Structures are given as structure tokens and as C-alpha cells.
Amino acid sequence: MDFHPTEEQAAAAGLAARIFADLATHERLAAAGTGSDAELWKALTTAGLTAAVEEIGLLGLVLLLEEQGRTTAQVPYAATCAYGILPVAAHGSPEQRARLLPALGTGEAVATGAFPARGRITASSDGRLTGTAPAVPWLRDATHVLVPDADRALWLVRTDAPGVETAPVETTAPWSAGRLTLTGAEAERIGSDGAYEDTLTSARTAFAGLQAGVCAGSLARAVEHTSTREQFGRPLSTNQGVMLRAADAYMDTEAIRVTTYEAAWRIDQGLPAREHALTAAWWASEAGKRVVHAGQHLHGGMGADLDHPVHRHFLWGRQLDAYLGCGSELLAELGASIASTAEGEHA
């Protein structure tokens, strides 16, 4: 395994870090409310950081999503890449790739996904979808939604198509979410058998990378606060209890990062990675929850202020804790996968 970024990946991550740092400021995030930042989204797409995902792979995307997570930047970047660019590039037909990828790369089209499959949406024999997805992240910004049906076939739906209704939904984190209702909506099939599992595996890895960034940002804020805030004439950071809590949060953040890098690297190399993605997602859920709680706790009373920047990290961390499966669900799925593999080896 080699987690060292390529020259292209490092350059993209550095550019993303500068753009997010410049535009995803506390003041701009507060002004955006629960909506997305159109100016920031335009800056990312103009800089080529969306289209670049085709070249830098999933590991490169993870590096970029870490930078988004550090600032909790409110743009549909993770969703467009995980549910648009990556699945279309991997499973789309030549015609679909030629038609969809340029628009997704420039930001003209925005994608999201009604993931994971919950069996609520069915497909007719002529490719029309019926059913409801209660909460789809970034749906309010999306032009396309990647929808798995009850049989786990993948379909791409335009949000302006007949039979498609969307309604705003507020989630824990301000992800411009919405309720998707399909009534005989026209859709186009993406890929064949296995496309759903591949997409879910990549999405879990991508959002684990986002969680690594959220946790790193939360911890950085906590370190800054405890290093400058004094109690009894000395910084809070000199308190042993504070140091131990921060150290635990650091180790949890690194565990999320390294398991995510491994899963992304394996996917980029074409190696089996489902169990590795589940492991990364489990760490992102369980450890991520601990880290953002620690970040808020280390801020003391200020951490309870809904307008304080660290509170956004708390909200994002809790949203990512449950998104695409909470810890217990992921652990059960991982155990079943390991048991199934063991049975196959001894058959």
C-alpha cells in the first residue's frame, strides 16, 4: 500500500485547501444558513476540482473532501462526486459518460443520491420509478439523483422530470436536503449488476474522508481554544484531563483517516474493498461521534453556543455518524460479510 499522494493529488488538495479557507469562513457559513454557497461551488468547479476527480481517483477525492470537512463548507461536492462523477465514469455507457461527465465537471449539473437502498422505490418494466426517499442530501441543489430501486438496480433521475416532486427537509447538518417523491418518473439505468454495491462502497469511503476532515477541524479548534484560554493563571491545555481528551480525539481522527485511505487506495487499484470501506465507515461513525463530542466539550460553555463555529463540526459529525449506516448497522454488515467469505473459503 502506498498512501503518498501523487503530484496531481497533492496539487488538487492544496488548491482545495486554499479555496475552502478563503471562502468557507464563519461569516459566510452563518450567512448561508441551511443553504449551499453558490459562489464557493462556482469557485471549485471553475478551478477544475470537480472534473479532476476522474483523474485523481477516489484517494484524491478523499484528500479534497478532508479539506471540505475541515471548514464544513456547504457545497454539494461530496454528493456530486460520489453519486455523479464516480458512478457514471465507472458504470455509465460511452454515451452517458460523454453526455453527463462534462456537465458534472463544470458544475452545470449537480448530482446526489438516495442512498442507501431501503426498498422504498420500485421500478417498472419500462424504467419508471415510484416511491419515496424521505431525506436526500443536497436535493435542493441537484439536477440529477442517483436512485437504487428495491432490487438494487441504479437509475438516474432528473429532478425536473415529470413525476418527480421534491420538498425541503431539514436534517441535523445544513445539507440542503429534501424529500424525493417519484410517481412513475422516467429514469435511465446506470450500469448493471454490482453497480449499486460498487457505488455504495465508494460513497462510504468518500464520506468517511469527509468525516476525517470534520474531526480534524473540530480538534484544531479545540486545540486553539484550550491553548489560549486560561484558568487559574495557566492555559487549559496544560490540564492533564484536557490533554488526554485531545489525544484520544487525535488518535480517533487518525484511525478514520488511515482506514479511509486504505479503502480508497484499494478501490483505485481495482482490489476488493467492500469490507475495508465498511471498516472505514464504522470508524467514521463511532470514532467521529466521539471526536466531535470531545471538540464541543473542550470548548466548555462556548461549545454549547449554537453560533460558535465548533457547533457546525458537531452537527456535521453527528449527521455523518448515521449517514449510510450507523455504527451498529455497519458492524453487523461487516460481520455478515466476513462470515460469508469464510464460509465460501471452507465450502
Side-chain angles (χ1 to χ4, degrees):
M1 291 181 289
D2 183 4
F3 300 157
H4 291 94
T6 64
E7 183 177 344
E8 292 78 9
Q9 290 170 337
L15 178 57
R18 290 195 296 274
I19 292 174
F20 285 126
D22 289 344
L23 295 180
T25 62
H26 173 57
E27 294 73 21
R28 288 177 61 86
L29 288 167
T34 61
S36 59
D37 188 330
E39 183 180 345
L40 175 54
W41 179 239
K42 183 177 181 181
L44 290 170
T45 56
T46 301
L49 292 177
T50 307
V53 173
E54 288 186 72
E55 302 298 328
I56 63 177
L58 185 54
L59 181 56
L61 173 60
V62 164
L63 296 175
L64 270 61
L65 291 178
E66 281 191 73
E67 300 303 333
Q68 180 184 2
R70 289 179 199 275
T71 58
T72 61
Q74 291 173 202
V75 285
Y77 187 59
T80 292
C81 294
Y83 300 125
I85 291 176
L86 291 180
V88 170
H91 301 287
S93 67
E95 186 277 330
Q96 287 172 326
R97 292 196 294 271
R99 170 167 48 89
L100 295 169
L101 289 176
L104 290 166
T106 61
E108 178 185 351
V110 175
T112 188
F115 275 61
R118 300 293 189 189
R120 299 188 180 100
I121 296 173
T122 59
S124 65
S125 58
D126 60 349
R128 292 182 178 271
L129 305 184
T130 299
T132 301
V136 179
W138 304 110
L139 182 61
R140 286 179 247 169
D141 299 321
T143 57
H144 296 76
V145 187
L146 192 65
V147 180
D149 66 19
D151 296 321
R152 299 193 170 186
L154 283 186
W155 303 87
L156 194 63
V157 179
R158 289 190 60 92
T159 54
D160 60 357
V164 178
E165 293 183 11
T166 63
V169 170
E170 297 303 334
T171 56
T172 301
W175 284 3
S176 296
R179 178 184 178 89
L180 177 68
T181 302
L182 305 173
T183 309
E186 293 184 2
E188 58 179 310
R189 181 76 182 269
I190 300 291
S192 55
D193 294 342
Y196 169 78
E197 290 295 343
D198 287 349
T199 300
L200 180 59
T201 294
S202 294
R204 280 173 166 161
T205 304
F207 281 95
L210 186 63
Q211 181 74 302
V214 169
C215 291
S218 174
L219 183 58
R221 291 187 181 280
V223 168
E224 180 183 10
H225 174 76
T226 56
S227 297
T228 57
R229 182 85 169 183
E230 292 190 357
Q231 187 178 60
F232 305 118
R234 60 178 186 169
L236 286 171
S237 58
T238 61
N239 183 294
Q240 188 178 41
V242 171
M243 287 190 285
L244 290 173
R245 192 77 188 275
D248 285 342
Y250 174 78
M251 294 303 295
D252 272 337
T253 300
E254 289 302 295
I256 299 170
R257 179 178 286 118
V258 72
T259 53
T260 301
Y261 285 6
E262 181 180 9
W265 178 84
R266 290 182 67 88
I267 291 170
D268 285 342
Q269 297 298 314
L271 299 171
R274 180 169 180 266
E275 293 172 4
H276 300 79
L278 283 166
T279 302
W282 181 84
W283 274 104
S285 175
E286 293 293 307
K289 181 167 50 182
R290 291 194 295 265
V291 173
V292 296
H293 273 263
Q296 192 173 44
H297 188 198
L298 289 172
H299 277 77
M302 294 178 65
D305 183 357
L306 301 185
D307 294 325
H308 195 281
V310 79
H311 189 67
R312 277 195 302 273
H313 291 271
F314 177 78
L315 294 178
W316 278 60
R318 290 313 308 260
Q319 184 77 26
L320 286 163
D321 159 39
Y323 185 54
L324 298 182
C326 65
S328 57
E329 288 180 293
L330 295 164
L331 197 60
E333 190 175 339
L334 177 59
S337 178
I338 293 173
S340 176
T341 301
E343 289 177 2
E345 291 176 350
H346 292 89

